[in-house]
Every structure is written in structure tokens, then in C-alpha cells.
Amino acid sequence: QVQLVESGGGLVQAGGSLRLSCSASGFSFSDYVMNWYRQAPGKEREWVASIGSPSSTDYADSVKGRFIISRDNAKNTVNLQMNSLKPEDTAVYYCQVSVYSTIWGQGTQVTVSS
């Protein structure tokens, strides 16, 4: 069974940093592109960043230069280092992979106070 479990969310002041992690199981992790999405209150879910294997990356313009996505294929984890956080980064952050179908984690809340 494919499973994604996010962790690392929390409350942080503007300008601060948080590191999110996503632990994956049930599939050959190193073979798949891993993605982070987020959904702010009242808004649609939006793509944040992707990482291929071994390590090609891509970012939404809104987070480019502030967020860093990385992966550890030995530990089946994908991370999102979020720096210089802004109140508009407040959202539930989701890990996502497409393995036969689209799989989402349960999400982790990130709240950035001004």
C-alpha cells in the first residue's frame, strides 16, 4: 500500500524557517518524482516544488529562492526546507506522488504569523 506521511509543520514568525519531511512507503521511491503542494484557506491546492531522481528540481515562482526540496532515497524521504517565510505561505502542505494513481499524504499545517 502506497503511503505518504508528512511532518514538521508548525507556527513560525515571518522571516523564520521550517523543515517539512515526507516519509514514503509501498513503492520504489527512487523511481518516482516527488512533489509538494499546499492549500491555503479558501484557495485551491497549488503546486510548490518537485524533485526527480536523482535530484532535478523545480519550484513555483512564489517560493523560488526561499524553499529547497531534497530527497534521501536511502531513507525514502523527501524534505522541504522553507526559509524567509511569509504570512502568505500559511497553508496545509501535502506530499504527493503519482504511482498508478495520485497519492496524497494527510498534510501538515504551516502557519506564518506577521
Side-chain angles (χ1 to χ4, degrees):
Q1 180 182 2
V2 177
Q3 190 173 13
L4 302 172
V5 179
E6 301 96 335
S7 61
L11 173 64
V12 64
Q13 289 189 333
S17 298
L18 279 176
R19 182 178 174 87
L20 306 183
S21 291
C22 172
S23 178
S25 60
F27 64 103
S28 183
F29 179 80
S30 62
D31 291 342
Y32 290 88
V33 174
M34 298 299 299
N35 306 291
W36 283 98
Y37 283 75
R38 67 185 181 186
Q39 188 167 19
K43 295 188 177 181
E44 293 188 353
R45 193 170 296 188
E46 65 174 358
W47 169 74
V48 174
S50 296
I51 186 165
S53 191
S55 59
S56 58
T57 59
D58 198 10
Y59 298 92
D61 288 343
S62 58
V63 307
K64 199 171 293 184
R66 300 188 297 122
F67 290 11
I68 301 171
I69 189 171
S70 62
R71 67 190 298 158
D72 185 337
N73 288 340
K75 296 182 178 179
N76 286 6
T77 58
V78 57
N79 304 302
L80 188 67
Q81 177 67 41
M82 305 186 296
N83 303 318
S84 302
L85 282 162
K86 306 175 181 180
E88 52 263 44
D89 293 318
T90 295
V92 178
Y93 284 71
Y94 298 91
C95 185
Q96 183 263 343
V97 66
S98 294
V99 180
Y100 308 117
S101 62
T102 300
I103 307 298
W104 299 92
Q106 84 286 354
T108 186
Q109 176 70 49
V110 171
T111 303
V112 184
S113 63
S114 57

